Amino acid sequence: MTSAAPRPADPDHLWSVDEHLEDILTTVHPLEPIELQLLDAQGCVLVEDVTVPVALPPFDNSSMDGYAVRVTDVAGASEEFPAVLEVVGDIAAGTADPVRVGPGQAARIMTGAPLPPGAEAVVPVEWTDGGLGEGPVTGMHARSLAPEGAAGHVRVHRSVEPRAHVRARGSDVRAGDRALEAGTVLGPSQIGLLAAIGRGTVRVRPRPRVVVMSTGSELVQPDEPLGGGQIYDSNSFALTAAARDAGAIAYRVGAVADDAVTLRSTIEDQLIRADLLVTTGGVSVGAYDVVKEALSDVGDADEAGGGVEFRKLAMQPGKPQGFGSVGPEHTPLLALPGNPVSSYVSFELFVRPAIRALMGLADVHRPRIRATLTADAPLSSPKGRRQFLRGTYADGEVTPVGGAGSHLIAALAHADALIVVPEDVESVEPGTEVETVLLR
Amino acid sequence: MTSAAPRPADPDHLWSVDEHLEDILTTVHPLEPIELQLLDAQGCVLVEDVTVPVALPPFDNSSMDGYAVRVTDVAGASEEFPAVLEVVGDIAAGTADPVRVGPGQAARIMTGAPLPPGAEAVVPVEWTDGGLGEGPVTGMHARSLAPEGAAGHVRVHRSVEPRAHVRARGSDVRAGDRALEAGTVLGPSQIGLLAAIGRGTVRVRPRPRVVVMSTGSELVQPDEPLGGGQIYDSNSFALTAAARDAGAIAYRVGAVADDAVTLRSTIEDQLIRADLLVTTGGVSVGAYDVVKEALSDVGDADEAGGGVEFRKLAMQPGKPQGFGSVGPEHTPLLALPGNPVSSYVSFELFVRPAIRALMGLADVHRPRIRATLTADAPLSSPKGRRQFLRGTYADGEVTPVGGAGSHLIAALAHADALIVVPEDVESVEPGTEVETVLLR
């Protein structure tokens, strides 16, 4: 799943956002394809070119409810001088052996039913008396209530051209046509087409299984009483939801205490169901930074480039980050900082693209646009760090919400965009165009 | 769930697309709210104003890994003339009763840990010797490996202002603040905020449970052999996927044969798990149109306006449509035409808004834009009917794919937009601006 990527040797190297992202995207490869039931493949990327095995429609069939006729039998027919034809039976949709239509005869035929031998066209029921011997009708009586409709005589009020109201075999797709190309993302209408050509299963890259775990001895689960020095765990909830939103099957693991042995064994337990592991917290310079402690010197050290590397990024928020792989399958792991806003921004920038790369999607990134900054005062930004400020976007304008403080989770919940301030910019005036990442 | 809506009395009334949609949207009401676990509420609409019960952060805490100090003890400190303080212990995140910091003392403190009594500010570890008696350090050693770091003396190289590197209690949100308003759609960051303020469950409108069933004796399940006159069932797959895509929990029921008794009993069976029923096929003027036959004279006739009404719409594709309610709970039912393209277009125009109305979403419609038609020849459209042609949209231009024939399911799978041709327009020249529904 992962392979060794070249990494700067200097442990004090300050990584740029782009370097870190590139390291992730060159390391994380699409998951191996599997055969899935059609509806389980929704949102997945097709890995095979799908060819049409049978023409659609598979046989000439009626596009209307009406009567299958020979063209010469209804030539010149009008309401005043109708053609009177013998009704030789019904042809319902699904009929395998439709009744033959001979000269002077008609078969009552339903939409989608096969055009019977002998017939050349279909006359819609509205152009007939429906076999009732009176004027034009607007429809047929239900067969179960009026079985006599399939017998007797019908008066036809209009002539038809050959093939009128007939859908020709293969007029939608022909056998051998390319139905869908490898790389197609399967949405409702692609799933509909696959079903229509008889495909019950399809070969796709599966949704990645992402295990999200937060770390921190201060974390308490919501709805539990909060003791001194404690806060509620929010990262595992927000990032599990975000992983699903990105297309993953996400599993939330409750907060793990700051104990390296516990964390290592929790990660080992979770490996069985993980294509990607995401942790939050414990990646900074503190004496209790358990993720760093637990993973710095373990992992898959048996392979060059394996293991988890902790680095400092030239960004705000989100400076401390870990990335690498763990376990016998070299499962990729992203270790995000613990602050809720830092972890969410880090998820958007690094984890979401990783999930989408695992899915085999061509476009792994959120849309980015240029927007005009609307603000009361200039934005300030630390030199040498790329800043990601939370904002709201509408109609070409983006407005910051909350401040630059990385703990403003309330403001984050009202943001739908990230404002990007480059490394070399320390102040942005209102009215300036800024790069904006749309979070929706 | 549904209530009586005024309907035109004339059974031959040709309904406009807007009249039919209005009838649906005035009849289908949002589902009753329920209390859900946070992660089960993703994508749902909040029905309560959520107030912050405890301030965030709940206590003054450190924003850095470093040392909690008294400001006067480090006044004037420099690398040349450091302040030397006695380290009285560690304060990890989650500590309930942090050690008191007296004059001349410091406590080693971790990010997120409570500011201890006596301390006024935090000095980042990078501004100290980390207790090692040498130059500035870049971080702390893990507590488990170097327990002595919590004792001895630390040299501080810089002074700090009061409250430096301290996040004040309530600086993110205060108790009593409005966290989220009723009507908010719960995405990852809203779920994160709710968890952060201790909410493990939340009151939302649930996702509607939508049962999708196709009808037609000609229908065979994919991967089964195709007999004479048979085609594969695709509608139940496409519309189940589309219902999920719209936000529903969708259940697919395999194709039901054209038999009114079977269909009625299948619908009765499914009512237990349905907030909305969707059928395809059997709604036209044929003698085997089972949905019409089974539902025209049953349903909840005990309530005025109940039951299912079958109508003709001034649209192409999708002329025959049924809408009403069935069963003791007056469960809404939309009966769509059976042709795959007709049923998909009908789903987009009528079922998707109904699902989103059941969810309580303010915006139930797909985005619509004006786009320039790109085509080799003028589009033709039947007078008096609103036509919805499949197209692909990019950069302000929309191009038709496939023809107007309603059976072109292959073309549909390559479309991402619907081109709307109004009732009074019979021809649209290339280069004209056309209303376009974006299907993504």
Side-chain angles (χ1 to χ4, degrees):
Chain A
M1 211 166 300
T2 61
S3 67
R7 290 168 187 174
D10 176 9
D12 287 335
H13 176 72
L14 190 65
W15 289 61
S16 74
V17 171
D18 296 332
E19 283 172 335
H20 185 62
L21 182 61
E22 191 191 339
D23 185 30
I24 293 167
L25 292 181
T26 54
T27 307
V28 172
H29 299 301
L31 295 176
E32 287 301 309
I34 56 172
E35 190 88 9
L36 286 182
Q37 296 288 318
L38 266 192
L39 283 173
D40 293 335
Q42 188 171 359
C44 294
V45 175
L46 189 67
V47 295
E48 50 173 346
D49 289 335
V50 175
T51 301
V52 177
V54 288
L56 285 187
F59 45 87
D60 290 353
N61 70 92
S62 178
S63 69
M64 301 290 278
D65 298 309
Y67 292 85
V69 299
R70 288 163 178 262
V71 169
T72 51
D73 285 344
V74 296
S78 67
E79 201 169 331
E80 196 176 354
F81 301 105
V84 181
L85 302 175
E86 179 196 1
V87 179
V88 292
D90 259 359
I91 308 171
T95 300
D97 287 306
V99 60
R100 178 168 194 86
V101 174
Q105 296 181 331
R108 198 166 69 161
I109 190 168
M110 310 305 148
T111 305
L115 189 71
E120 298 160 302
V122 171
V123 181
V125 64
E126 294 90 342
W127 298 1
T128 76
D129 72 346
L132 303 179
E134 296 175 9
V137 294
T138 57
M140 301 177 191
H141 292 296
R143 159 80 176 171
S144 57
L145 306 172
E148 70 280 4
H153 288 82
V154 63
R155 284 159 200 266
V156 175
H157 300 146
R158 287 172 64 171
S159 62
V160 286
E161 298 289 313
R163 312 294 294 171
H165 309 114
V166 174
R167 295 172 184 146
R169 168 187 162 83
S171 59
D172 196 341
V173 289
R174 287 162 301 185
D177 279 358
R178 171 81 46 85
L180 293 173
E181 280 184 31
T184 301
V185 181
L186 298 180
S189 60
Q190 291 77 32
I191 287 172
L193 174 58
L194 289 167
I197 63 171
R199 289 291 299 259
T201 64
V202 70
R203 198 156 184 83
V204 296
R205 297 197 190 278
R207 296 178 176 276
R209 300 159 303 155
V210 175
V211 170
V212 177
M213 62 183 81
S214 50
T215 70
S217 295
E218 76 278 23
L219 300 180
V220 174
Q221 296 311 296
D223 284 344
E224 298 288 317
L226 209 56
Q230 296 182 323
I231 60 171
Y232 289 110
D233 173 24
S234 64
N235 288 342
S236 67
F237 291 92
L239 300 195
T240 300
R244 280 189 199 156
D245 199 58
I249 297 164
Y251 301 112
R252 176 184 160 268
V253 176
V256 181
D258 289 329
D259 174 73
V261 174
T262 306
L263 179 62
R264 268 188 221 135
S265 86
T266 305
I267 289 175
E268 270 166 36
D269 280 356
Q270 294 293 331
L271 281 175
I272 188 78
R273 62 168 179 174
D275 297 311
L276 177 69
L277 288 155
V278 180
T279 64
T280 66
V283 292
S284 192
V285 298
Y288 295 76
D289 277 339
V290 66
V291 175
K292 205 167 175 178
E293 183 186 348
L295 300 180
S296 282
D297 55 355
V298 294
D300 54 354
D302 52 321
E303 178 171 288
V308 176
E309 188 179 292
F310 293 86
R311 27 183 96 143
K312 287 177 179 161
L313 263 67
M315 70 179 278
Q316 183 187 62
K319 184 180 178 188
Q321 300 277 347
F323 171 61
S325 62
V326 291
E329 307 284 338
H330 310 298
T331 306
L333 182 147
L334 281 99
L336 311 184
N339 179 280
V341 176
S342 306
S343 75
Y344 185 76
V345 170
S346 302
F347 183 97
E348 283 290 341
L349 295 179
F350 306 121
V351 185
R352 187 181 163 95
I355 289 171
R356 296 174 70 81
L358 286 166
M359 294 176 76
L361 290 165
D363 187 10
V364 301
H365 295 294
R366 292 278 199 187
R368 288 184 182 228
I369 55 164
R370 306 286 304 175
T372 305
L373 178 68
T374 308
D376 295 335
L379 301 182
S380 65
S381 184
K383 187 169 172 58
R385 294 173 76 176
R386 192 180 300 181
Q387 194 178 32
F388 295 89
L389 288 159
R390 280 67 64 199
T392 56
Y393 172 81
D395 301 327
E397 298 192 348
V398 65
T399 310
V401 287
S406 58
H407 58 302
L408 294 168
I409 189 172
L412 176 64
H414 293 92
D416 61 9
L418 294 175
I419 302 167
V420 186
V421 185
E423 290 82 345
D424 56 354
V425 175
E426 292 179 73
S427 178
V428 186
E429 293 293 324
T432 310
E433 276 213 338
V434 286
E435 187 180 359
T436 303
V437 182
L438 300 180
L439 300 178
R440 53 180 177 190
Chain B
M1 212 166 300
T2 61
S3 66
R7 290 169 188 175
D10 176 8
D12 287 335
H13 175 72
L14 189 65
W15 289 62
S16 74
V17 171
D18 296 333
E19 282 172 337
H20 185 61
L21 181 61
E22 191 190 340
D23 186 29
I24 293 167
L25 292 181
T26 54
T27 307
V28 172
H29 299 302
L31 295 175
E32 287 300 309
I34 57 172
E35 191 87 10
L36 285 183
Q37 296 288 319
L38 265 193
L39 283 174
D40 293 336
Q42 187 170 0
C44 294
V45 174
L46 190 67
V47 295
E48 50 173 346
D49 289 335
V50 174
T51 301
V52 176
V54 288
L56 284 187
F59 44 86
D60 291 352
N61 69 91
S62 179
S63 68
M64 301 290 278
D65 298 310
Y67 292 84
V69 298
R70 289 163 178 261
V71 170
T72 51
D73 285 344
V74 296
S78 67
E79 202 170 329
E80 196 176 357
F81 301 104
V84 181
L85 303 175
E86 178 196 2
V87 179
V88 293
D90 259 359
I91 309 172
T95 301
D97 287 308
V99 60
R100 181 171 192 86
V101 174
Q105 295 181 331
R108 198 165 69 158
I109 191 167
M110 311 303 148
T111 306
L115 189 72
E120 297 159 302
V122 172
V123 182
V125 65
E126 294 90 343
W127 298 0
T128 76
D129 72 346
L132 303 179
E134 298 175 8
V137 293
T138 57
M140 301 177 190
H141 292 296
R143 159 76 175 171
S144 56
L145 306 173
E148 70 281 2
H153 288 82
V154 64
R155 282 158 202 267
V156 175
H157 300 147
R158 286 171 66 170
S159 62
V160 286
E161 297 291 312
R163 312 293 293 171
H165 309 114
V166 174
R167 294 172 185 146
R169 169 186 161 82
S171 59
D172 195 343
V173 289
R174 287 162 302 188
D177 279 358
R178 171 81 46 85
L180 294 173
E181 281 184 30
T184 302
V185 181
L186 299 180
S189 60
Q190 291 78 32
I191 286 172
L193 174 58
L194 290 167
I197 64 172
R199 289 291 299 260
T201 64
V202 71
R203 199 157 182 80
V204 296
R205 298 197 190 279
R207 295 178 178 277
R209 299 160 303 158
V210 175
V211 170
V212 178
M213 61 183 83
S214 49
T215 70
S217 296
E218 75 278 23
L219 299 180
V220 173
Q221 296 312 296
D223 284 345
E224 298 287 319
L226 209 55
Q230 296 183 322
I231 59 170
Y232 289 110
D233 173 24
S234 65
N235 288 342
S236 68
F237 290 91
L239 301 195
T240 300
R244 279 188 199 156
D245 198 60
I249 297 165
Y251 301 112
R252 176 184 160 267
V253 175
V256 181
D258 289 329
D259 173 72
V261 175
T262 306
L263 180 62
R264 267 188 220 134
S265 86
T266 305
I267 288 175
E268 269 166 36
D269 280 357
Q270 294 293 332
L271 281 174
I272 188 78
R273 63 168 178 174
D275 298 310
L276 176 69
L277 288 155
V278 180
T279 64
T280 66
V283 293
S284 193
V285 297
Y288 296 75
D289 277 340
V290 65
V291 175
K292 205 168 176 179
E293 181 185 350
L295 300 179
S296 282
D297 55 355
V298 296
D300 53 354
D302 53 323
E303 179 172 287
V308 176
E309 189 178 291
F310 293 87
R311 29 184 94 145
K312 287 178 179 161
L313 262 66
M315 70 181 276
Q316 183 186 62
K319 185 180 178 188
Q321 300 277 345
F323 172 60
S325 62
V326 290
E329 307 283 340
H330 309 297
T331 306
L333 183 146
L334 281 97
L336 311 184
N339 179 280
V341 176
S342 305
S343 75
Y344 185 76
V345 169
S346 302
F347 183 97
E348 284 291 340
L349 295 178
F350 306 122
V351 184
R352 187 181 163 97
I355 289 172
R356 296 175 70 81
L358 286 166
M359 294 177 75
L361 290 165
D363 187 9
V364 302
H365 295 295
R366 291 278 199 189
R368 286 182 185 232
I369 55 163
R370 306 287 301 176
T372 305
L373 178 67
T374 308
D376 294 335
L379 300 183
S380 65
S381 184
K383 188 169 172 62
R385 293 173 76 178
R386 191 180 300 181
Q387 194 179 32
F388 295 89
L389 287 160
R390 281 66 65 201
T392 56
Y393 172 81
D395 301 328
E397 298 192 349
V398 66
T399 310
V401 286
S406 58
H407 58 300
L408 294 167
I409 188 172
L412 177 65
H414 294 93
D416 60 10
L418 295 175
I419 302 167
V420 186
V421 185
E423 290 81 344
D424 56 354
V425 175
E426 291 178 74
S427 178
V428 186
E429 293 293 324
T432 311
E433 275 213 339
V434 285
E435 187 180 358
T436 303
V437 182
L438 299 180
L439 301 179
R440 52 180 179 189

